[in-house]
Amino acid sequence: MGDELAQRRVLRIIAVTFFALAAYVLVGSVIALATRAHPERSPVGIALTAGSLLVMPLLGWRKRRVGSLRNPLVLADAAETILCANIS
């Protein structure tokens, strides 16, 4: 019973961070569109984005595979990782 309670608590935390990430992206996008902001170029930003595009999908798929062993916490984390990969 203690494990179920802990899993529910962690799933709630993951859900909150999932929606917080979505709200952050939405607000940032609206502000950028409203102010007609243009992104600056930097070698570090380009490298970080390229690395994220390569690593995050692989990490998400691996987490999904591990979570398919009936671990809802890992499945929830995999969904958030895949969302981050799509945002990249």
Side-chain angles (χ1 to χ4, degrees):
M1 184 162 156
D3 286 341
E4 278 186 38
L5 181 61
Q7 281 189 356
R8 279 193 228 150
R9 188 175 300 139
V10 171
L11 281 173
R12 282 189 197 126
I13 291 169
I14 291 172
V16 168
T17 61
F18 194 81
F19 286 110
L21 177 62
Y24 173 77
V25 169
L26 178 67
V27 170
S29 298
V30 169
I31 290 172
L33 286 171
T35 60
R36 296 183 183 193
H38 295 283
E40 295 181 25
R41 295 180 205 159
S42 77
V44 173
I46 293 168
L48 183 60
T49 301
S52 294
L53 286 171
L54 295 172
V55 172
M56 296 300 277
L58 296 173
L59 182 61
W61 294 326
R62 287 290 197 178
K63 285 180 181 180
R64 185 182 289 174
R65 183 184 295 175
V66 170
S68 67
L69 302 173
R70 299 180 187 228
N71 190 334
L73 300 176
V74 177
L75 282 175
D77 191 44
E80 193 165 8
T81 302
I82 292 169
L83 175 66
C84 289
N86 289 329
I87 290 172
S88 292

